[in-house]
Amino acid sequence: MVKKYLFATLDFIFDENEELYFLEANSVPGGMSDAENVFKGHQPMKEIAEFMKKQGKELCVISTSRKNKFWVYSHLKEYLPHLRLCYREDNRTNRIYLRDVNNEKFKPSCIYRNGNLISTSFESKIPVINPKSVVNITLNRIKTYQLISKHANIPPYYVIRNKKQLNSKIKEFGSDYVIKGICGSYGDETYISKKTGFGYPCILQKRIFPKKIKNQFWDVRVFIINGKYNNAVVRLSKNPVTNFCFGAKAHHLPKRLENKLKKVSEKIVRVIDLAARK
């Protein structure tokens, strides 16, 4: 059973021979609104609600900003009628109690952190989805790769610290490479076979080519809840950067591929969770 990395999304890619490679882990599970129409069996939000319900009565979602669209909150509230919504800017200095959107003060029993950090004082007392200790690992690709390199295939990569080093190492991969920022989300700072727009240090990685589906690029997003495989979807796109925010569409994952993902996904989450506890 995990204690920190309670809701994980992991990204993988299969090469042309259907060999599996790990790409990255995420601390703020995304893509659910894009994928909900293709989920089969378990729905991630329902499973998260069931987990939160077991933690006590005072449950809440903390949102980054008043300007956010509250997809996560509205979907969790379908299963948790008394779920509270809090704004991050109203709770920056709070360490024991929170204030919800109605300015009511309460002591939370479980927090869903939707897109921003909260005081770490909560993390040692109650379940937080997902806490800073997880963010510090998953937001840094080097840390993530170092942790899981013994447990999953990772496309060959180098940590690049300057232009000279980049030009030297890039020859090894020829024209088939990806440059990624050390940190990043939503596909930003990811460049396919081109050298522009990034800062150092960065990651130079061999590009993996899947067998195209309907003449489109694709990878897989896996949802893991409380250490257990929940669901997975294909992200299908005409763009080689296959993020939903870049226009990718959710597609059903073939059963034969799902079977290859379950065990390794759960293992990766356990490894990150253990590191986050230290």
Side-chain angles (χ1 to χ4, degrees):
M1 183 176 179
V2 299
K3 293 184 177 180
K4 295 294 184 180
Y5 201 12
L6 295 165
F7 191 5
T9 53
L10 308 178
D11 296 339
F12 295 87
I13 192 167
F14 289 88
D15 68 13
E16 292 183 337
N17 297 315
E18 295 190 354
E19 184 172 353
L20 181 64
Y21 291 86
F22 170 78
L23 295 178
E24 66 180 35
N26 302 278
S27 58
V28 182
M32 290 172 291
S33 60
D34 301 275
E36 62 178 336
N37 292 329
V38 301
F39 283 134
K40 291 182 177 179
H42 300 294
Q43 292 281 347
M45 283 292 97
K46 183 178 180 181
E47 296 295 314
I48 283 295
E50 289 297 321
F51 171 84
M52 293 181 71
K53 191 183 296 183
K54 296 175 182 178
Q55 312 311 314
K57 295 183 178 180
E58 295 293 355
L59 311 174
C60 70
V61 170
I62 291 190
S63 177
T64 305
S65 167
R66 289 180 172 83
K67 297 179 181 180
N68 272 9
K69 295 180 179 179
F70 302 116
W71 187 92
V72 167
Y73 172 71
S74 63
H75 277 61
L76 281 175
K77 197 169 176 63
E78 291 178 13
Y79 309 106
L80 303 169
H82 302 294
L83 182 70
R84 296 176 185 261
L85 176 63
C86 303
Y87 294 128
R88 173 67 181 91
E89 54 259 47
D90 294 338
N91 292 282
R92 290 182 185 277
T93 60
N94 296 347
R95 298 181 181 276
I96 299 175
Y97 295 91
L98 295 176
R99 291 188 180 276
D100 65 16
V101 294
N102 298 314
N103 205 33
E104 293 181 359
K105 189 177 178 182
F106 70 101
K107 190 175 181 179
S109 53
C110 184
I111 298 171
Y112 189 110
R113 184 190 63 80
N114 190 32
N116 210 330
L117 297 177
I118 55 174
S119 171
T120 55
S121 63
F122 292 106
E123 298 180 10
S124 61
K125 302 171 185 176
I126 63 172
V128 176
I129 309 169
N130 286 309
K132 185 177 180 180
S133 55
V134 170
V135 176
N136 288 342
I137 295 170
T138 59
L139 198 59
N140 186 314
R141 291 186 175 103
I142 296 176
K143 285 185 179 180
T144 306
Y145 285 178
Q146 289 173 340
L147 274 175
I148 65 95
S149 60
K150 294 181 181 179
H151 309 285
N153 287 336
I154 301 173
Y157 73 95
Y158 295 105
V159 178
I160 301 297
R161 304 195 180 280
N162 54 58
K163 185 176 181 180
K164 182 179 179 180
Q165 190 178 20
L166 176 64
N167 290 334
S168 173
K169 293 296 185 182
I170 213 168
K171 296 176 182 178
E172 182 174 331
F173 299 144
S175 60
D176 300 331
Y177 63 86
V178 180
I179 297 175
K180 301 176 180 179
I182 299 301
C183 302
S185 56
Y186 302 105
D188 61 347
E189 295 190 30
T190 299
Y191 304 91
I192 306 293
S193 300
K194 63 180 180 179
K195 299 184 290 182
T196 181
F198 57 89
Y200 299 103
C202 63
I203 290 176
L204 172 67
Q205 192 167 51
K206 181 177 175 61
R207 185 180 176 188
I208 303 299
F209 289 88
K211 186 179 294 183
K212 287 187 178 181
I213 299 175
K214 299 179 180 179
N215 203 34
Q216 295 186 73
F217 299 98
W218 62 282
D219 62 10
V220 180
R221 171 151 291 185
V222 177
F223 297 83
I224 308 290
I225 297 173
N226 199 17
K228 298 296 182 181
Y229 178 91
N230 176 270
N231 226 314
V233 294
V234 169
R235 298 188 298 183
L236 198 62
S237 177
K238 295 178 180 179
N239 188 328
V241 181
T242 54
N243 292 67
F244 286 125
C245 58
F246 286 177
K249 302 298 181 183
H251 192 271
H252 292 289
L253 178 69
K255 193 68 177 179
R256 71 180 188 281
L257 300 183
E258 184 177 57
N259 292 334
K260 293 183 178 183
L261 286 164
K262 289 182 178 181
K263 187 175 181 179
V264 68
S265 297
E266 292 177 356
K267 179 64 176 178
I268 289 170
V269 168
R270 289 196 299 271
V271 170
I272 293 175
D273 180 73
L274 185 61
R277 298 186 206 181
K278 297 177 180 179

